[in-house]
Amino acid sequence: MGPITIFIVALIFILILTARLRVHPFLSLIAASMLVGLLAGEAEGTMDAITAGMSSIFAEFAIVVTAGSIIGIILQRSGATSIIADDIIKIFKKPVLALFLLGFMFAVPMMCLILAFIIFLPVAKDLSEKLNLKKGVTEGALALGTMVSFGLVYPSPGIYAFVRDVGPTTEISALRVLVTGTLIAVFVSLVGYLYIMKVFKMNIKGDYFRYTTPAKDPAVVSLLPTRVACYAPIIIPVVLILMRITTHADVFYFIGNPGMALMSGAVVAMILPTRKFAAADVRAWIEKGIRRSGLVMLDICGGGALGATLVLAGVGEALGNMLITSSVPVLFIPFLIGAAIQTVQGSRMVTLFVASALVIPIMPQLGLPAEIVLFSMASGTFLISHFNDPFFWILGDLADMETPEILKTYTMGGIVMGIASMAITSIIYYAFY
């Protein structure tokens, strides 16, 4: 059986198990990974690929997800997210747009769209409850907002790496990439926001609230944390990560690592917002956060296993070769290569690095400006995020969304934004080059 056929069979198999039979995602992903290995005739290497794929995802996300889950539970149970939600509604008046902008603004500074989503998810949930919004609308807006800036704006890791790698041989400019990427991202953000409003059957005017903080019982108010305690667990990790990016000091390289930064935020959350609560309550919240993160890690490690077995089956290489040798217009080849790699292996950051490795050697044959190659490829990374994408399962688990809801919100939203990004990239190319 050919690699492309194996890939299609695996997707159908997972969709039937998760959406139709309601099998737990981890079991579905592991079963699909085994099926891929067997269909590829790699029985001996299948289990090695599965364990390697799982371990790589665990190493990358275990600390981040666990620390973020602890921060989220503590902020929610202590009443901190309620205060933050009140502040956002008062300032922005448009809570869905505000959540989209929060994701957009912090995904690049944090160097991780999943990290930005996890940190601000408790705020999204609290806003949704306060305003009685439809389930998933604020969480979806936050997720899509992180996707836009992380996928298009310099110095997101994949964008930065491409500029670094082609810089010695082309006239690519980091400033031009920053400006062009930001312009594309603004347009794509508008499209993503409108998509979220459309899919949840809300109109633009519906995302406006004259919100007055309701009167609260003095006994409840006395237990609420201060604003410093509310915001510190969120702001401190962001500052540490920014310091790591903007300085070369060894100390910030260590404490600004996303895992270390989130652990710092978790420690702050355990101390500041919880001073008025019993130690036993705080310990119970921490244990709940750890248990919840364990379920999330199972799902995303399953996605890592599937990605590794798809690579073992040669699916990515087959898709890339098929596109390069086709009669597709050169402007769309980087886009389709990016989409093919993202569809196969799941991690958006990995996609940009792998797609760059495929695209950079053929740039002379393409004959396109380096910036256009970059943003054509980056547009493709929005397509198609599905069962092997860690973010797919994090969104489902932490936002309490079923598989069909994630496909409608996250997967289809990414497709719409990717097409919009490619469209504006094409306009820029034909108008200015």
Side-chain angles (χ1 to χ4, degrees), residues 301-336:
C301 285
L306 178 62
T309 53
L310 290 174
V311 171
L312 180 69
V315 176
E317 183 179 357
L319 285 173
N321 291 336
M322 181 179 68
L323 293 172
I324 292 173
T325 58
S326 68
S327 58
V328 173
V330 293
L331 180 60
F332 293 96
I333 287 179
F335 171 79
L336 292 174

PDB file of all heavy atoms in Angstrom, residues 301-336:
ATOM      1  N   CYS A 301       0.684  13.004  23.458  1.00  0.00           N
ATOM      2  CA  CYS A 301       1.721  11.999  23.195  1.00  0.00           C
ATOM      3  C   CYS A 301       1.227  10.996  22.153  1.00  0.00           C
ATOM      4  O   CYS A 301       2.016  10.505  21.329  1.00  0.00           O
ATOM      5  CB  CYS A 301       2.111  11.272  24.478  1.00  0.00           C
ATOM      6  SG  CYS A 301       3.157  12.253  25.580  1.00  0.00           S
ATOM      7  N   GLY A 302      -0.067  10.700  22.179  1.00  0.00           N
ATOM      8  CA  GLY A 302      -0.634   9.865  21.125  1.00  0.00           C
ATOM      9  C   GLY A 302      -0.489  10.513  19.767  1.00  0.00           C
ATOM     10  O   GLY A 302      -0.205   9.843  18.758  1.00  0.00           O
ATOM     11  N   GLY A 303      -0.666  11.840  19.706  1.00  0.00           N
ATOM     12  CA  GLY A 303      -0.445  12.561  18.457  1.00  0.00           C
ATOM     13  C   GLY A 303       0.999  12.466  17.998  1.00  0.00           C
ATOM     14  O   GLY A 303       1.283  12.344  16.802  1.00  0.00           O
ATOM     15  N   GLY A 304       1.933  12.517  18.946  1.00  0.00           N
ATOM     16  CA  GLY A 304       3.344  12.362  18.608  1.00  0.00           C
ATOM     17  C   GLY A 304       3.642  10.986  18.043  1.00  0.00           C
ATOM     18  O   GLY A 304       4.439  10.834  17.107  1.00  0.00           O
ATOM     19  N   ALA A 305       2.998   9.964  18.595  1.00  0.00           N
ATOM     20  CA  ALA A 305       3.178   8.603  18.093  1.00  0.00           C
ATOM     21  C   ALA A 305       2.687   8.479  16.653  1.00  0.00           C
ATOM     22  O   ALA A 305       3.351   7.866  15.804  1.00  0.00           O
ATOM     23  CB  ALA A 305       2.434   7.614  18.995  1.00  0.00           C
ATOM     24  N   LEU A 306       1.527   9.064  16.368  1.00  0.00           N
ATOM     25  CA  LEU A 306       0.997   9.002  15.013  1.00  0.00           C
ATOM     26  C   LEU A 306       1.915   9.718  14.032  1.00  0.00           C
ATOM     27  O   LEU A 306       2.199   9.216  12.933  1.00  0.00           O
ATOM     28  CB  LEU A 306      -0.404   9.612  14.970  1.00  0.00           C
ATOM     29  CG  LEU A 306      -1.062   9.652  13.590  1.00  0.00           C
ATOM     30  CD1 LEU A 306      -1.250   8.252  13.034  1.00  0.00           C
ATOM     31  CD2 LEU A 306      -2.394  10.389  13.643  1.00  0.00           C
ATOM     32  N   GLY A 307       2.399  10.898  14.419  1.00  0.00           N
ATOM     33  CA  GLY A 307       3.300  11.630  13.543  1.00  0.00           C
ATOM     34  C   GLY A 307       4.561  10.837  13.226  1.00  0.00           C
ATOM     35  O   GLY A 307       5.031  10.813  12.084  1.00  0.00           O
ATOM     36  N   ALA A 308       5.105  10.153  14.235  1.00  0.00           N
ATOM     37  CA  ALA A 308       6.337   9.383  14.031  1.00  0.00           C
ATOM     38  C   ALA A 308       6.109   8.205  13.096  1.00  0.00           C
ATOM     39  O   ALA A 308       6.961   7.900  12.246  1.00  0.00           O
ATOM     40  CB  ALA A 308       6.865   8.890  15.380  1.00  0.00           C
ATOM     41  N   THR A 309       4.974   7.530  13.218  1.00  0.00           N
ATOM     42  CA  THR A 309       4.720   6.383  12.338  1.00  0.00           C
ATOM     43  C   THR A 309       4.402   6.831  10.916  1.00  0.00           C
ATOM     44  O   THR A 309       4.729   6.127   9.951  1.00  0.00           O
ATOM     45  CB  THR A 309       3.579   5.514  12.883  1.00  0.00           C
ATOM     46  OG1 THR A 309       2.415   6.317  13.130  1.00  0.00           O
ATOM     47  CG2 THR A 309       3.997   4.806  14.156  1.00  0.00           C
ATOM     48  N   LEU A 310       3.790   8.004  10.757  1.00  0.00           N
ATOM     49  CA  LEU A 310       3.567   8.525   9.411  1.00  0.00           C
ATOM     50  C   LEU A 310       4.891   8.839   8.726  1.00  0.00           C
ATOM     51  O   LEU A 310       5.058   8.628   7.524  1.00  0.00           O
ATOM     52  CB  LEU A 310       2.681   9.775   9.464  1.00  0.00           C
ATOM     53  CG  LEU A 310       1.207   9.551   9.845  1.00  0.00           C
ATOM     54  CD1 LEU A 310       0.490  10.878  10.008  1.00  0.00           C
ATOM     55  CD2 LEU A 310       0.503   8.690   8.802  1.00  0.00           C
ATOM     56  N   VAL A 311       5.838   9.367   9.502  1.00  0.00           N
ATOM     57  CA  VAL A 311       7.177   9.594   8.959  1.00  0.00           C
ATOM     58  C   VAL A 311       7.825   8.261   8.596  1.00  0.00           C
ATOM     59  O   VAL A 311       8.457   8.129   7.532  1.00  0.00           O
ATOM     60  CB  VAL A 311       8.055  10.362   9.982  1.00  0.00           C
ATOM     61  CG1 VAL A 311       9.507  10.408   9.513  1.00  0.00           C
ATOM     62  CG2 VAL A 311       7.521  11.773  10.185  1.00  0.00           C
ATOM     63  N   LEU A 312       7.672   7.263   9.444  1.00  0.00           N
ATOM     64  CA  LEU A 312       8.223   5.930   9.181  1.00  0.00           C
ATOM     65  C   LEU A 312       7.666   5.357   7.881  1.00  0.00           C
ATOM     66  O   LEU A 312       8.386   4.690   7.124  1.00  0.00           O
ATOM     67  CB  LEU A 312       7.887   4.998  10.355  1.00  0.00           C
ATOM     68  CG  LEU A 312       8.373   3.550  10.259  1.00  0.00           C
ATOM     69  CD1 LEU A 312       9.896   3.499  10.378  1.00  0.00           C
ATOM     70  CD2 LEU A 312       7.730   2.695  11.353  1.00  0.00           C
ATOM     71  N   ALA A 313       6.401   5.630   7.607  1.00  0.00           N
ATOM     72  CA  ALA A 313       5.763   5.127   6.397  1.00  0.00           C
ATOM     73  C   ALA A 313       6.146   5.922   5.151  1.00  0.00           C
ATOM     74  O   ALA A 313       5.758   5.548   4.036  1.00  0.00           O
ATOM     75  CB  ALA A 313       4.246   5.131   6.573  1.00  0.00           C
ATOM     76  N   GLY A 314       6.874   7.036   5.344  1.00  0.00           N
ATOM     77  CA  GLY A 314       7.306   7.839   4.197  1.00  0.00           C
ATOM     78  C   GLY A 314       6.232   8.732   3.622  1.00  0.00           C
ATOM     79  O   GLY A 314       6.327   9.166   2.470  1.00  0.00           O
ATOM     80  N   VAL A 315       5.224   9.059   4.427  1.00  0.00           N
ATOM     81  CA  VAL A 315       4.112   9.853   3.915  1.00  0.00           C
ATOM     82  C   VAL A 315       4.554  11.275   3.565  1.00  0.00           C
ATOM     83  O   VAL A 315       4.215  11.808   2.508  1.00  0.00           O
ATOM     84  CB  VAL A 315       2.965   9.882   4.945  1.00  0.00           C
ATOM     85  CG1 VAL A 315       1.842  10.796   4.457  1.00  0.00           C
ATOM     86  CG2 VAL A 315       2.441   8.486   5.190  1.00  0.00           C
ATOM     87  N   GLY A 316       5.336  11.905   4.445  1.00  0.00           N
ATOM     88  CA  GLY A 316       5.784  13.271   4.178  1.00  0.00           C
ATOM     89  C   GLY A 316       6.614  13.369   2.918  1.00  0.00           C
ATOM     90  O   GLY A 316       6.424  14.266   2.087  1.00  0.00           O
ATOM     91  N   GLU A 317       7.549  12.461   2.745  1.00  0.00           N
ATOM     92  CA  GLU A 317       8.411  12.472   1.560  1.00  0.00           C
ATOM     93  C   GLU A 317       7.595  12.252   0.291  1.00  0.00           C
ATOM     94  O   GLU A 317       7.819  12.898  -0.728  1.00  0.00           O
ATOM     95  CB  GLU A 317       9.475  11.384   1.697  1.00  0.00           C
ATOM     96  CG  GLU A 317      10.468  11.345   0.552  1.00  0.00           C
ATOM     97  CD  GLU A 317      11.511  10.263   0.743  1.00  0.00           C
ATOM     98  OE1 GLU A 317      11.485   9.581   1.792  1.00  0.00           O
ATOM     99  OE2 GLU A 317      12.346  10.094  -0.163  1.00  0.00           O
ATOM    100  N   ALA A 318       6.614  11.351   0.370  1.00  0.00           N
ATOM    101  CA  ALA A 318       5.785  11.068  -0.799  1.00  0.00           C
ATOM    102  C   ALA A 318       4.959  12.286  -1.201  1.00  0.00           C
ATOM    103  O   ALA A 318       4.849  12.623  -2.391  1.00  0.00           O
ATOM    104  CB  ALA A 318       4.859   9.882  -0.513  1.00  0.00           C
ATOM    105  N   LEU A 319       4.383  12.974  -0.214  1.00  0.00           N
ATOM    106  CA  LEU A 319       3.598  14.177  -0.510  1.00  0.00           C
ATOM    107  C   LEU A 319       4.477  15.268  -1.106  1.00  0.00           C
ATOM    108  O   LEU A 319       4.102  15.944  -2.076  1.00  0.00           O
ATOM    109  CB  LEU A 319       2.929  14.673   0.767  1.00  0.00           C
ATOM    110  CG  LEU A 319       1.725  13.880   1.276  1.00  0.00           C
ATOM    111  CD1 LEU A 319       1.285  14.398   2.629  1.00  0.00           C
ATOM    112  CD2 LEU A 319       0.578  13.948   0.284  1.00  0.00           C
ATOM    113  N   GLY A 320       5.674  15.458  -0.521  1.00  0.00           N
ATOM    114  CA  GLY A 320       6.580  16.484  -1.037  1.00  0.00           C
ATOM    115  C   GLY A 320       7.004  16.217  -2.466  1.00  0.00           C
ATOM    116  O   GLY A 320       6.983  17.126  -3.317  1.00  0.00           O
ATOM    117  N   ASN A 321       7.379  15.000  -2.767  1.00  0.00           N
ATOM    118  CA  ASN A 321       7.800  14.651  -4.129  1.00  0.00           C
ATOM    119  C   ASN A 321       6.666  14.815  -5.123  1.00  0.00           C
ATOM    120  O   ASN A 321       6.870  15.270  -6.259  1.00  0.00           O
ATOM    121  CB  ASN A 321       8.316  13.211  -4.168  1.00  0.00           C
ATOM    122  CG  ASN A 321       9.623  13.048  -3.420  1.00  0.00           C
ATOM    123  OD1 ASN A 321      10.375  14.011  -3.250  1.00  0.00           O
ATOM    124  ND2 ASN A 321       9.908  11.834  -2.962  1.00  0.00           N
ATOM    125  N   MET A 322       5.468  14.446  -4.701  1.00  0.00           N
ATOM    126  CA  MET A 322       4.319  14.562  -5.602  1.00  0.00           C
ATOM    127  C   MET A 322       4.069  16.026  -5.981  1.00  0.00           C
ATOM    128  O   MET A 322       3.779  16.344  -7.139  1.00  0.00           O
ATOM    129  CB  MET A 322       3.085  13.978  -4.913  1.00  0.00           C
ATOM    130  CG  MET A 322       1.811  14.025  -5.757  1.00  0.00           C
ATOM    131  SD  MET A 322       0.398  13.276  -4.893  1.00  0.00           S
ATOM    132  CE  MET A 322       0.155  14.465  -3.570  1.00  0.00           C
ATOM    133  N   LEU A 323       4.224  16.932  -5.010  1.00  0.00           N
ATOM    134  CA  LEU A 323       3.969  18.343  -5.283  1.00  0.00           C
ATOM    135  C   LEU A 323       5.072  18.968  -6.127  1.00  0.00           C
ATOM    136  O   LEU A 323       4.808  19.737  -7.049  1.00  0.00           O
ATOM    137  CB  LEU A 323       3.830  19.103  -3.957  1.00  0.00           C
ATOM    138  CG  LEU A 323       2.596  18.751  -3.119  1.00  0.00           C
ATOM    139  CD1 LEU A 323       2.683  19.412  -1.757  1.00  0.00           C
ATOM    140  CD2 LEU A 323       1.329  19.166  -3.840  1.00  0.00           C
ATOM    141  N   ILE A 324       6.326  18.631  -5.808  1.00  0.00           N
ATOM    142  CA  ILE A 324       7.447  19.243  -6.525  1.00  0.00           C
ATOM    143  C   ILE A 324       7.453  18.845  -7.998  1.00  0.00           C
ATOM    144  O   ILE A 324       7.832  19.643  -8.868  1.00  0.00           O
ATOM    145  CB  ILE A 324       8.780  18.853  -5.839  1.00  0.00           C
ATOM    146  CG1 ILE A 324       8.857  19.512  -4.452  1.00  0.00           C
ATOM    147  CG2 ILE A 324       9.988  19.275  -6.677  1.00  0.00           C
ATOM    148  CD1 ILE A 324      10.038  19.054  -3.629  1.00  0.00           C
ATOM    149  N   THR A 325       7.046  17.628  -8.297  1.00  0.00           N
ATOM    150  CA  THR A 325       7.075  17.144  -9.681  1.00  0.00           C
ATOM    151  C   THR A 325       5.765  17.397 -10.425  1.00  0.00           C
ATOM    152  O   THR A 325       5.621  16.984 -11.575  1.00  0.00           O
ATOM    153  CB  THR A 325       7.367  15.634  -9.704  1.00  0.00           C
ATOM    154  OG1 THR A 325       6.366  14.940  -8.936  1.00  0.00           O
ATOM    155  CG2 THR A 325       8.739  15.341  -9.113  1.00  0.00           C
ATOM    156  N   SER A 326       4.818  18.075  -9.792  1.00  0.00           N
ATOM    157  CA  SER A 326       3.522  18.312 -10.426  1.00  0.00           C
ATOM    158  C   SER A 326       3.581  19.582 -11.283  1.00  0.00           C
ATOM    159  O   SER A 326       4.590  20.276 -11.353  1.00  0.00           O
ATOM    160  CB  SER A 326       2.432  18.457  -9.365  1.00  0.00           C
ATOM    161  OG  SER A 326       2.617  19.658  -8.628  1.00  0.00           O
ATOM    162  N   SER A 327       2.449  19.895 -11.915  1.00  0.00           N
ATOM    163  CA  SER A 327       2.348  21.101 -12.748  1.00  0.00           C
ATOM    164  C   SER A 327       1.722  22.263 -11.982  1.00  0.00           C
ATOM    165  O   SER A 327       1.191  23.200 -12.580  1.00  0.00           O
ATOM    166  CB  SER A 327       1.513  20.793 -13.992  1.00  0.00           C
ATOM    167  OG  SER A 327       0.227  20.324 -13.623  1.00  0.00           O
ATOM    168  N   VAL A 328       1.795  22.225 -10.663  1.00  0.00           N
ATOM    169  CA  VAL A 328       1.235  23.288  -9.822  1.00  0.00           C
ATOM    170  C   VAL A 328       2.026  24.587 -10.051  1.00  0.00           C
ATOM    171  O   VAL A 328       3.262  24.563 -10.154  1.00  0.00           O
ATOM    172  CB  VAL A 328       1.306  22.887  -8.335  1.00  0.00           C
ATOM    173  CG1 VAL A 328       0.895  24.031  -7.427  1.00  0.00           C
ATOM    174  CG2 VAL A 328       0.431  21.669  -8.083  1.00  0.00           C
ATOM    175  N   PRO A 329       1.362  25.754 -10.168  1.00  0.00           N
ATOM    176  CA  PRO A 329       2.088  27.027 -10.299  1.00  0.00           C
ATOM    177  C   PRO A 329       3.102  27.203  -9.169  1.00  0.00           C
ATOM    178  O   PRO A 329       2.827  26.850  -8.016  1.00  0.00           O
ATOM    179  CB  PRO A 329       0.970  28.074 -10.209  1.00  0.00           C
ATOM    180  CG  PRO A 329      -0.260  27.356 -10.675  1.00  0.00           C
ATOM    181  CD  PRO A 329      -0.094  25.936 -10.212  1.00  0.00           C
ATOM    182  N   VAL A 330       4.268  27.760  -9.502  1.00  0.00           N
ATOM    183  CA  VAL A 330       5.366  27.823  -8.533  1.00  0.00           C
ATOM    184  C   VAL A 330       4.990  28.591  -7.269  1.00  0.00           C
ATOM    185  O   VAL A 330       5.490  28.279  -6.186  1.00  0.00           O
ATOM    186  CB  VAL A 330       6.625  28.453  -9.174  1.00  0.00           C
ATOM    187  CG1 VAL A 330       7.196  27.553 -10.237  1.00  0.00           C
ATOM    188  CG2 VAL A 330       6.315  29.841  -9.755  1.00  0.00           C
ATOM    189  N   LEU A 331       4.118  29.585  -7.397  1.00  0.00           N
ATOM    190  CA  LEU A 331       3.734  30.367  -6.224  1.00  0.00           C
ATOM    191  C   LEU A 331       3.074  29.501  -5.150  1.00  0.00           C
ATOM    192  O   LEU A 331       3.190  29.795  -3.960  1.00  0.00           O
ATOM    193  CB  LEU A 331       2.781  31.496  -6.642  1.00  0.00           C
ATOM    194  CG  LEU A 331       2.277  32.429  -5.541  1.00  0.00           C
ATOM    195  CD1 LEU A 331       3.452  33.142  -4.869  1.00  0.00           C
ATOM    196  CD2 LEU A 331       1.288  33.441  -6.102  1.00  0.00           C
ATOM    197  N   PHE A 332       2.420  28.423  -5.571  1.00  0.00           N
ATOM    198  CA  PHE A 332       1.672  27.590  -4.629  1.00  0.00           C
ATOM    199  C   PHE A 332       2.440  26.357  -4.160  1.00  0.00           C
ATOM    200  O   PHE A 332       1.961  25.639  -3.274  1.00  0.00           O
ATOM    201  CB  PHE A 332       0.339  27.156  -5.265  1.00  0.00           C
ATOM    202  CG  PHE A 332      -0.612  28.295  -5.499  1.00  0.00           C
ATOM    203  CD1 PHE A 332      -0.672  28.919  -6.732  1.00  0.00           C
ATOM    204  CD2 PHE A 332      -1.416  28.759  -4.471  1.00  0.00           C
ATOM    205  CE1 PHE A 332      -1.539  29.978  -6.944  1.00  0.00           C
ATOM    206  CE2 PHE A 332      -2.282  29.818  -4.673  1.00  0.00           C
ATOM    207  CZ  PHE A 332      -2.344  30.430  -5.914  1.00  0.00           C
ATOM    208  N   ILE A 333       3.606  26.110  -4.733  1.00  0.00           N
ATOM    209  CA  ILE A 333       4.371  24.926  -4.315  1.00  0.00           C
ATOM    210  C   ILE A 333       4.811  25.021  -2.856  1.00  0.00           C
ATOM    211  O   ILE A 333       4.611  24.067  -2.083  1.00  0.00           O
ATOM    212  CB  ILE A 333       5.557  24.682  -5.261  1.00  0.00           C
ATOM    213  CG1 ILE A 333       5.045  24.151  -6.605  1.00  0.00           C
ATOM    214  CG2 ILE A 333       6.548  23.691  -4.647  1.00  0.00           C
ATOM    215  CD1 ILE A 333       6.121  23.904  -7.629  1.00  0.00           C
ATOM    216  N   PRO A 334       5.410  26.137  -2.401  1.00  0.00           N
ATOM    217  CA  PRO A 334       5.751  26.221  -0.962  1.00  0.00           C
ATOM    218  C   PRO A 334       4.522  26.087  -0.069  1.00  0.00           C
ATOM    219  O   PRO A 334       4.588  25.462   0.996  1.00  0.00           O
ATOM    220  CB  PRO A 334       6.392  27.609  -0.827  1.00  0.00           C
ATOM    221  CG  PRO A 334       6.879  27.939  -2.200  1.00  0.00           C
ATOM    222  CD  PRO A 334       5.871  27.330  -3.131  1.00  0.00           C
ATOM    223  N   PHE A 335       3.405  26.654  -0.499  1.00  0.00           N
ATOM    224  CA  PHE A 335       2.157  26.570   0.263  1.00  0.00           C
ATOM    225  C   PHE A 335       1.719  25.119   0.422  1.00  0.00           C
ATOM    226  O   PHE A 335       1.410  24.660   1.532  1.00  0.00           O
ATOM    227  CB  PHE A 335       1.067  27.372  -0.459  1.00  0.00           C
ATOM    228  CG  PHE A 335      -0.318  27.202   0.112  1.00  0.00           C
ATOM    229  CD1 PHE A 335      -0.694  27.888   1.254  1.00  0.00           C
ATOM    230  CD2 PHE A 335      -1.236  26.368  -0.499  1.00  0.00           C
ATOM    231  CE1 PHE A 335      -1.973  27.735   1.788  1.00  0.00           C
ATOM    232  CE2 PHE A 335      -2.516  26.213   0.017  1.00  0.00           C
ATOM    233  CZ  PHE A 335      -2.883  26.906   1.159  1.00  0.00           C
ATOM    234  N   LEU A 336       1.742  24.366  -0.668  1.00  0.00           N
ATOM    235  CA  LEU A 336       1.285  22.979  -0.621  1.00  0.00           C
ATOM    236  C   LEU A 336       2.269  22.083   0.118  1.00  0.00           C
ATOM    237  O   LEU A 336       1.852  21.130   0.797  1.00  0.00           O
ATOM    238  CB  LEU A 336       1.063  22.465  -2.045  1.00  0.00           C
ATOM    239  CG  LEU A 336      -0.107  23.121  -2.799  1.00  0.00           C
ATOM    240  CD1 LEU A 336      -0.154  22.646  -4.243  1.00  0.00           C
ATOM    241  CD2 LEU A 336      -1.433  22.829  -2.099  1.00  0.00           C
TER     242      LEU A 336
END
